[in-house]
Amino acid sequence: MPVSPYLGKDLIGLQHLSAEQIRAILDTAEPFKEISERPIKKVPVLRGKTIVNLFFEPSTRTRISFEFAEKRLSADTVNITTTGSSVVKGETLVDTARNLEAMRIDMVVIRHSASGSARFLADRIPSNVVNAGDGRHEHPTQALLDMLTIRDHLGRLDGTRVCIVGDILHSRVARSNIWGLLKLGAEVAVCAPRSLLPADIESLGVTVFSRVEEAIEWAEVLNVLRLQLERMQAGYIPTLREYNRVFGVTRERVERAPRDLLILHPGPMNRGVEIDSDVADGPHSVILDQVTNGVAIRMAVLYLLAGGAPERAEEAKHGG
Amino acid sequence: MAVDVRPVLIRGGRVVDPSQGIDDVRDVLLVGGRVEAISASLAAPDGAQILDATGLVVCPGFIDLHVHLREPGGEHKETIATGARAAVAGGFTAVCAMPNTDPPVDDPAAVGFVRAQGDRAGAARIYPVGAISVGQKGERLAPVGEMVEAGAVAITDDGHPVMDSGLMRLALEYARTFGIPVADHCEDRTLSRGGTMNEGVVSTRLGLTGIPNAAEDVMIARDLFLAELTGGRLHIQHVSTRRGVELIRDAKDRGVSVTAEAAPHHFTLTDEAVDGYRTEAKVNPPLRTAADREAVRAGVADGTLDVIATDHAPHHYDEKEQAFDDAPFGLVGLETALGLAYSELVLGGVITLPRMVDAMSCAPARAFDLPGGTLRPGTPADVAVFDPTWEWVVEPSKFLSKSRNTPFAGRRLTGRVVWTLVGGRLLWESAERPSSR
């Protein structure tokens, strides 16, 4: 299996990547954006490669985004989801991986509810492994597409003030964004009820805001996280209504911002809970740009892991 | 079993027996399964086996108050026989078997079964510990009196912390009737709430659910208050937090009847060992921070933590070969305990060698009123002889335990058992001892 000279064998998280590696992915995504704008959205970059999308957790957006990226690069893909596989019959992650490997695949994209599961798989099979979200640990392609979107709109990441708002405790998106943004020189803050912040979050190098008004006062970019309904059932917050009252990114709050805000959301949104429709659909929202960029970022990651070079991405697109 | 045992003369070793204040080069003579004499120079009786212990340490056999032998119900992880053999390989001449088996040891028949299996194994002595509550469900008291009659030496719901404070009070009061201690795994499950490692920087980085120190601290505090209220004998298992050590120290100063354990992994490792999602380092209570580790070491040094106990918790490799959240808690400890205690604590300058022997032999015997923990003439000849200069590397594939789950694989340790004698019988002789010695 190829080991990318730029990324190594796998993409598990942003914590252990360097600023140059992250920049290489973002830069490689640029030429790939254009493929999705063509009438015939297909280039032969990954022709003959077999990629398995191994999703142990329900996901629509991320899985489809990966699948488009793979198909537009001409890879052969198979989707495995929990409901349609032997996983429900009690087969272990190790056995699933070994069986896939025995069918001679090239890459695995894995989504799993346990933190560390992507690393676990990567350590046990020679194929390239891409982490599409492992528990509360990391979701690197989401953070990369968030960063690409910010860079597109503000022209820079260095010195940018980004606040992640919402359930930081349970969020892999938050962790990947924190690592990636800090490495590229952004200032990062988090804003959440204290019951939804992990222990010693400050030690990662972020500022903590307890009130969303303070976060808005400070930030240039708000990345608003989805509040899972289960969190309320588990007692982390009293009610969704209270959450919206106290922590919701509402039009009134955004209008009081001292500067133009850029609003991101990794989706799927709970309109009227963590974000109001006025904001999600409003002029500051770049939520659909994130989705578009997601495909380009995933193309870039797959291309690099398959052994591609960032500076050759343009010619690779043309079958070079 | 003791009568027909061949006499043994252990010659020229450094005899360390804090129960008699001995730390000197002596000969030790074992006759009829009992200690016959300790003296500067002893003649070997006819037919005696002579063990040359020059350069070695001779001490009362180690006693582990906290092991999981998995039988009945978990025989793929360990059996009483394999655990008893792993024990003697580690210098332990007696171990206390925790009751969280399947079914749990919560009645006299089960206690009798564990004893019988221990006798059959013919290695380290096996002392059953009974459950506090029926089925370890934390609802009503198990038949403690009958279990004591059948041979239980203490009670605990280890593995299933007693959340009901009223039940814990009853257990301490009732056990007092029989003079046995109540051992508790201190964990407030409403605070640990599905956690899999220490709550802190590392859990935040790894995205794993944390178990805060407070989950342990509040239960230690509760238990100490209840011991004070009832006058019962409390034994706190595997203390891992700095506040826990402080609370126990204060309680002892007030005269509360409490003993406590430190586990080798807690005085050696921190939660950084979990990095990389290493399931071998997944243990409960979890590995904590450096400050906690220092407090545990200080607790062993000043006797606040009376006892070193392993919490030997074997698991099959399939069970540990899983995502971190899914892997079970626990690690094996019987065959690395001496090496860790000697390397980390004695060579590390934390405690003296006599204090180490006290914590591994004498103090456990006192805490649970067990025979042993001394080489006083007339007592059962349970002896460990170890080489304090033997450097070795932990190789789990060589363990006598059925399981290999240890975070110490590949670690270089100093200090290893050469001979273990139980009731005067030589039950362990290391085949690997360097010939240069």
Side-chain angles (χ1 to χ4, degrees), chain A residues 292-304:
Chain A
T292 307
N293 277 341
V295 178
I297 279 290
R298 285 162 183 135
M299 283 182 181
V301 167
L302 297 169
Y303 164 76
L304 290 172

Side-chain angles (χ1 to χ4, degrees), chain A:
Chain A
M1 286 304 140
V3 172
S4 162
Y6 297 90
L7 297 184
K9 183 173 88 70
D10 314 296
L11 178 66
I12 303 303
L14 300 190
Q15 186 193 350
H16 298 293
L17 292 190
S18 66
E20 292 83 84
Q21 287 173 309
I22 294 170
R23 246 180 247 117
I25 300 171
L26 298 181
D27 293 346
T28 305
E30 291 295 345
F32 281 118
K33 282 179 180 173
E34 174 262 334
I35 296 168
S36 300
E37 307 301 330
R38 297 180 188 179
I40 297 173
K41 302 174 176 58
K42 211 169 186 77
V43 296
V45 170
L46 294 180
R47 193 166 50 198
K49 297 279 183 194
T50 311
I51 303 180
V52 175
N53 298 313
L54 187 54
F55 277 65
F56 292 91
E57 233 185 29
S59 158
T60 308
R61 186 172 317 224
T62 303
R63 187 175 55 74
I64 290 174
S65 179
F66 266 107
E67 212 177 329
F68 275 135
E70 292 155 3
K71 290 199 154 88
R72 287 174 191 175
L73 295 181
S74 305
D76 296 316
T77 66
V78 176
N79 293 323
I80 301 177
T81 56
T82 42
T83 45
S85 80
S86 54
V87 172
V88 287
K89 298 173 201 155
E91 186 175 84
T92 64
L93 185 51
V94 184
D95 284 331
T96 303
R98 285 180 185 150
N99 278 285
L100 290 173
E101 202 59 44
M103 290 182 235
R104 304 291 180 258
I105 54 166
D106 298 290
M107 290 190 190
V108 178
V109 176
I110 180 177
R111 155 74 60 96
H112 196 286
S113 60
S115 300
S117 49
R119 173 85 273 148
F120 181 91
L121 188 71
D123 288 345
R124 282 162 183 80
I125 61 173
S127 308
N128 307 113
V129 173
V130 182
N131 183 6
D134 64 324
R136 308 169 180 189
H137 176 229
E138 285 226 39
H139 190 353
T141 57
Q142 178 69 46
L144 288 163
L145 73 88
D146 292 346
M147 290 159 72
L148 184 63
T149 307
I150 297 169
R151 196 173 77 169
D152 284 351
H153 285 270
L154 300 184
R156 65 188 160 84
L157 286 164
D158 191 39
T160 306
R161 290 196 302 278
V162 182
C163 185
I164 307 164
V165 184
D167 180 2
I168 311 295
L169 177 63
H170 300 95
S171 178
R172 52 195 172 213
V173 175
R175 285 173 179 75
S176 286
N177 264 286
I178 289 168
W179 297 121
L181 287 165
L182 288 174
K183 280 170 200 278
L184 293 198
E187 288 180 58
V188 184
V190 295
C191 175
R194 288 280 166 173
S195 56
L196 289 174
L197 284 177
D200 298 327
I201 184 74
E202 295 89 346
S203 68
L204 302 190
V206 302
T207 306
V208 174
F209 291 113
S210 289
R211 306 308 299 261
V212 72
E213 293 83 0
E214 295 167 10
I216 288 172
E217 174 84 25
W218 173 87
E220 296 166 81
V221 179
L222 290 187
N223 196 345
V224 187
L225 302 177
R226 172 182 171 78
L227 184 83
Q228 308 254 3
L229 214 60
E230 304 93 271
R231 305 307 170 218
M232 189 190 74
Q233 286 148 0
Y236 287 97
I237 54 160
T239 65
L240 294 181
R241 192 183 64 188
E242 172 162 321
Y243 187 84
N244 181 257
R245 285 272 171 80
V246 183
F247 286 94
V249 177
T250 59
R251 194 181 64 183
E252 295 71 32
R253 289 189 171 120
V254 171
E255 279 173 351
R256 259 181 258 129
R259 63 188 73 77
D260 271 355
L261 280 172
L262 204 61
I263 308 280
L264 286 79
H265 191 301
M269 288 184 280
N270 293 310
R271 290 169 180 264
V273 182
E274 73 269 6
I275 191 165
D276 279 3
S277 288
D278 292 353
V279 177
D281 304 329
H284 305 300
S285 166
V286 292
I287 294 170
L288 292 174
D289 296 352
Q290 290 174 271
V291 178
T292 307
N293 277 341
V295 178
I297 279 290
R298 285 162 183 135
M299 283 182 181
V301 167
L302 297 169
Y303 164 76
L304 290 172
L305 285 179
E311 64 278 9
R312 295 175 60 90
E314 190 60 46
E315 49 183 300
K317 270 168 37 181
H318 303 103

Side-chain angles (χ1 to χ4, degrees), chain B residues 175-309:
Chain B
R176 199 182 162 191
T177 317
F178 307 96
I180 58 160
V182 178
D184 199 21
H185 165 127
C186 291
E187 176 188 349
D188 184 330
R189 287 258 157 115
T190 66
L191 289 171
S192 55
R193 190 142 102 160
T196 55
M197 68 169 296
N198 181 50
E199 179 175 303
V201 188
V202 184
S203 67
T204 292
R205 225 161 55 203
L206 293 175
L208 293 171
T209 309
I211 302 173
N213 282 26
E216 186 169 341
D217 299 339
V218 299
M219 288 306 245
I220 291 177
R222 179 201 72 171
D223 284 359
L224 291 168
F225 284 130
L226 294 176
E228 204 165 6
L229 172 69
T230 60
R233 284 172 69 183
L234 173 67
H235 178 75
I236 297 178
Q237 300 177 303
H238 43 45
V239 178
S240 74
T241 65
R242 51 191 185 277
R243 289 275 181 229
V245 176
E246 284 170 19
L247 287 162
I248 296 163
R249 191 176 285 130
D250 290 350
K252 284 188 165 184
D253 287 346
R254 292 201 307 276
V256 177
S257 175
V258 58
T259 51
E261 295 169 4
H265 46 275
H266 288 134
F267 64 63
T268 305
L269 299 174
T270 67
D271 57 358
E272 294 285 349
V274 173
D275 206 6
Y277 300 97
R278 292 188 57 209
T279 58
E280 321 89 83
K282 180 175 174 180
V283 62
N284 192 12
L287 303 172
R288 306 257 188 209
T289 63
D292 295 300
R293 178 180 59 184
E294 293 317 307
V296 170
R297 288 173 173 233
V300 175
D302 72 5
T304 299
L305 307 181
D306 313 70
V307 168
I308 292 172

